[in-house]
Amino acid sequence: MQKSEIRSLYDEPKGSTAMADVHHFTHGLVTPGVAYALSILGSTLGLVCTARMRTATTGKQRFWWIVLAAWALGGTAIWAMHFMAMLGFSVTGAQIRYDIPRTAVSALVAIVVVGLGLWIVGFGRPNVGRIVVGGIFTGVGVAGMHYLGMFAMRLDGDVAYDTGLVAASVVIAVVAATVALWFTVVLSKPLAIAGAALLMGVAVCGMHYTGMAAMSVRLTAPTLGSGVGGASAANLLVPIGVLVLLVIGGLVFAIGAAATPEDLAAREYLDRVQAAREEAAIGTQRGTVRRPTAFTPRGK
């Protein structure tokens, strides 16, 4: 839209409206590409955390692995992906700002609903019923997070949504969440986790852009000099980017520092060997030497 066209919109009588051009890829493929990469990274870390959760020996350990997985999946794979994709969103002739409290609440919603979904399937024996219930709850919650994030946008215009596309985005979110929760209870091998993360990234991005396609904007007033409140996406990029990097770094450290099932098995084997040696030493001191029993690692 040329400057003369924009000016003609603003020269219309007060109270008139004009349908605006909405763009989802203002910066080309950069924003969707980075968003997809974030979704893959968050999904991978989340699936690794849930794999560790299944091998945890105490309820406390399982709880903390669920918390970490919720931050990875809800905070990075879903919400950070949503925010990055929104950097490519623009409306011709309108300034876009974001309400910071609502934006923060949308991030919290994503983390909480994913955490509750993981809790539903992670405690007790996993079954189809748990996965379906958890998937519906998480999917609806994630869709709600998406539209809450869009509700945080401020611009001089009326926003409308296509009901059919909104319903489609919710269905995609529910299906994606159900499949993701199923992945969390069955996958543990690195190659399987990597493949699942690629699919989850496609599903999350598909849900986001379907929801965005449902939106249309009708300008209601000039935006130049109107003083729309809130922060721009560019202003939020640095603090949110730093926070995401800190979360990813913390997750990687936690995963690397925690003992793997192989580490635990090796530690148990060494403890048993040490106990056998101590028993043999005591037998020698008593003059009744006993041959140490040969042990093999569990699972061998």
Side-chain angles (χ1 to χ4, degrees):
M1 182 179 291
Q2 302 297 323
K3 291 183 178 179
S4 58
E5 295 175 313
I6 297 175
R7 188 179 302 110
S8 66
L9 295 178
Y10 298 154
D11 290 340
E12 293 181 3
K14 187 175 181 180
S16 64
T17 61
M19 190 65 70
D21 292 328
V22 176
H23 306 281
H24 302 292
F25 307 101
T26 303
H27 307 295
L29 297 179
V30 174
T31 48
V34 175
Y36 180 58
L38 282 172
S39 188
I40 293 174
L41 179 59
S43 298
T44 301
L45 293 172
L47 291 175
V48 171
C49 289
T50 55
R52 297 292 182 87
M53 174 194 70
R54 297 198 305 273
T55 61
T57 57
T58 66
K60 184 177 180 180
Q61 290 177 349
R62 293 174 70 85
F63 171 78
W64 283 112
W65 281 119
I66 285 178
V67 171
L68 293 176
W71 275 92
L73 292 171
T76 303
I78 296 174
W79 188 84
M81 174 272 149
H82 164 85
F83 175 78
M84 182 56 62
M86 290 302 295
L87 291 178
F89 175 76
S90 64
V91 177
T92 300
Q95 294 178 344
I96 298 177
R97 296 290 184 267
Y98 292 87
D99 182 280
I100 295 179
R102 290 176 183 173
T103 301
V105 169
S106 69
L108 183 62
V109 167
I111 296 169
V112 170
V113 297
V114 170
L116 291 176
L118 291 172
W119 181 81
I120 291 173
V121 301
F123 278 87
R125 183 180 297 277
N127 55 53
V128 175
R130 283 176 175 269
I131 294 174
V132 172
V133 171
I136 293 174
F137 173 82
T138 305
V140 172
V142 168
M145 175 282 303
H146 170 80
Y147 289 104
L148 179 59
M150 294 171 67
F151 184 62
M153 291 190 304
R154 290 178 173 177
L155 70 161
D156 290 327
D158 294 327
V159 178
Y161 294 94
D162 180 274
T163 305
L165 288 176
V166 169
S169 69
V170 175
V171 171
I172 293 173
V174 170
V175 172
T178 304
V179 174
L181 291 178
W182 177 67
F183 285 157
T184 65
V185 299
V186 299
L187 298 183
S188 58
K189 297 184 180 300
L191 186 60
I193 287 176
L198 293 174
L199 293 176
M200 290 169 66
V202 171
V204 173
C205 291
M207 179 268 162
H208 172 84
Y209 284 107
T210 300
M212 294 300 295
M215 188 183 70
S216 60
V217 178
R218 184 175 292 275
L219 298 180
T220 57
T223 59
L224 297 179
S226 62
V228 177
S232 67
N235 291 335
L236 293 175
L237 178 60
V238 172
I240 291 179
V242 171
L243 178 61
V244 170
L245 289 176
L246 289 175
V247 169
I248 292 174
L251 289 169
V252 172
F253 175 79
I255 292 171
T260 65
E262 291 77 12
D263 294 333
L264 296 175
R267 185 179 303 170
E268 182 181 354
Y269 169 70
L270 293 175
D271 290 342
R272 294 167 63 190
V273 170
Q274 182 63 27
R277 289 176 176 174
E278 292 175 356
E279 182 182 355
I282 294 174
T284 301
Q285 292 175 358
R286 293 177 179 177
T288 56
V289 179
R290 299 176 61 185
R291 183 182 300 275
T293 303
F295 294 101
T296 56
R298 179 175 295 179
K300 296 295 185 179

